[in-house]
Every structure is written in C-alpha cells, then in structure tokens.
Amino acid sequence: MTLAKIKRIRFAHVSGFLVYNSNAAILIDAGHSGTTTRFTEAIREIGKSPGDVTLIVLTHTHFDHAGGAKKIKELCGALLAVHRTEAGCLSKGMTPFPRGTRWKGKVIRLFGKLFLWRMAAYPPAEADLLIDDEFDLAPYGIPGKVVHTPGHTSGSLSVLLETGEAIVGDNVLGINMKEHFPPFANDMAGVLQSWELYIRSGVQTLLPAHGGRVKIECLVNEMDHAKRKYC
C-alpha cells in the first residue's frame, strides 16, 4: 500500500486535510458550513474529484470542524466517521463551546456562551461509522489509523499515518511563539494523556487544525511545564 500524502485545506481560520495516494483519498475535518467550494478546489488541485473521497473523519464536532460535513458528504457520497460519544451532537448540529484553559480562553468561552451561542450551530449530519478506541484506515487505502485522543473534547480523534505524521485536531495549538497546549479543552489531563500517546506512537510531526506543523520534540519539551500548569 502506497504511503499517503497530505494536503492542508485552509477553511478560513481552521484547516482540514486531504490524505491521499494514487488509489485513495479521505478527508479529515470538513470546516465550517459553506466550505464546499474550497473543498472542491482543493480536491481538484491534487488531481482527484469529490467522488474519489470515500471517507470523512471528524476529529471532533465543533462547528468549525463539522459544519461542512453534511454538504461535503453528499457531494462525495462518502462515509462519515466520528467518535461514538459525539455522534449525538453531530446529529443535532450543535456542540457546546469547550472550556478555556487560560484566562483569554475563559473570557472567549464566556462571551461565546452569552452572545455568540448561535455560532455553535451547524447543519446536522448523521454518522455512518462510530469509532471507539481505534479504527484502521487500510480498508480505505490509507496506511494509518484513527485513534481516540480525548482532551479538547471527550470524543476527540487523531489520525496517525505511517509517514510519521499525525493530524491532531485541536489537541495541539500550532501558532508560532505560543505554547502548544490548546487554549480550549474540556479535559486538560486528557490533553496531556493524548500528548503522551503521540510521543509513544513514534509520531514525528503533528498537524493541528489551527496553526502550522509542530515537531514532536516541542511536546516533549513542554510536557513537564504543562503538567504543572494544567493538572
């Protein structure tokens, strides 16, 4: 099986990822609602068509990751996968704002709950595949797996590829000159447990949904400080 390539799709302030090789393509995260055009452009840029995407995996079901899932799923005819604990939120089209881990995040969450709660809503979608602990991507032509990595949300998922790269949703922040611990997380201890899983797995490069690539050494170097600060 051919190792996969990754194409980042910039859906405004958040990224989705096309994972593909000569025989297969899957999408990780679908952005907010209204991202179908950008997805279509991206899939054509790699020489494929929407019908080549057979699987969509949501790292979690916040509006900026799951909002485009319904339309993109219909466009591709793909199966939609999510962690079992978040399937209910997906079918309702509403996932609550996560808790802030730092003072700015706490202020933003409070402001969002009071004034921007409608932003948390998105077109509801039904999951075809419910993931528990681990899900093999080989049947979809991609050497890698999806693993349960709670932290940012209870049902957060990460995609570990045999290239040594991992698509990690919002469990890691990839913005330069900032710490990599996410500013929002419902389970801060869970974030660090997921970081430990990334380290143990042999992953070399992390691809967060917000920001750029992060080397695994960054998590190793920040682990002790993060444990003291957040646990």
Side-chain angles (χ1 to χ4, degrees):
M1 191 182 304
T2 307
L3 291 177
K5 299 178 180 178
I6 300 174
K7 179 177 178 60
R8 182 188 292 268
I9 311 175
R10 299 193 183 278
F11 295 128
H13 65 286
V14 67
S15 293
F17 299 88
L18 281 166
V19 180
Y20 67 99
N21 54 31
S22 58
N23 299 312
I26 67 174
L27 175 67
I28 313 302
D29 284 340
H32 51 77
S33 59
T35 55
T36 308
T37 299
R38 180 66 195 107
F39 163 76
T40 302
E41 293 170 348
I43 194 73
R44 288 174 177 165
E45 287 167 4
I46 63 171
K48 293 185 180 292
S49 64
D52 293 323
V53 175
T54 57
L55 177 68
I56 302 167
V57 177
L58 300 180
T59 61
H60 58 291
T61 59
H62 286 146
F63 73 97
D64 54 339
H65 295 254
K70 178 178 174 61
K71 287 188 176 180
I72 294 177
K73 174 186 174 182
E74 292 172 350
L75 177 66
C76 298
L79 298 177
L80 180 59
V82 68
H83 192 267
R84 186 179 299 276
T85 61
E86 299 198 21
C89 292
L90 181 66
S91 65
K92 294 175 184 176
M94 172 69 76
T95 304
F97 285 101
R99 300 186 185 97
T101 62
R102 303 189 274 279
W103 72 267
K104 287 184 179 180
K106 293 176 182 178
V107 170
I108 291 171
R109 180 180 189 257
L110 177 61
F111 184 80
K113 287 180 68 177
L114 292 176
F115 304 107
L116 302 176
W117 58 271
R118 286 185 178 87
M119 285 181 59
Y122 53 87
E126 295 299 327
D128 303 292
L129 299 171
L130 301 181
I131 297 174
D132 291 308
D133 296 323
E134 189 171 302
F135 182 81
D136 187 10
L137 292 173
Y140 298 89
I142 300 297
K145 60 185 178 181
V146 183
V147 295
H148 184 208
T149 49
H152 178 67
T153 65
S154 62
S156 286
L157 299 171
S158 297
V159 178
L160 309 185
L161 300 171
E162 291 187 10
T163 56
E165 297 162 298
I167 299 169
V168 297
D170 287 356
N171 269 343
V172 176
L173 181 66
I175 298 176
N176 290 335
M177 307 304 293
K178 291 184 179 291
E179 60 181 297
H180 293 99
F181 197 92
F184 303 96
N186 286 331
D187 181 357
M188 291 186 281
V191 169
L192 292 174
Q193 291 170 6
S194 292
W195 280 22
E196 290 172 346
L197 182 152
Y198 302 144
I199 294 167
R200 291 195 310 270
S201 72
V203 163
Q204 298 300 310
T205 305
L206 309 163
L207 286 80
H210 300 277
R213 290 172 172 254
V214 176
K215 292 296 184 184
I216 195 67
E217 290 82 2
C218 295
L219 269 58
V220 174
N221 293 337
E222 293 178 26
M223 182 69 75
D224 289 341
H225 170 75
K227 286 180 177 179
R228 291 192 298 269
K229 184 173 181 179
Y230 296 107
C231 294

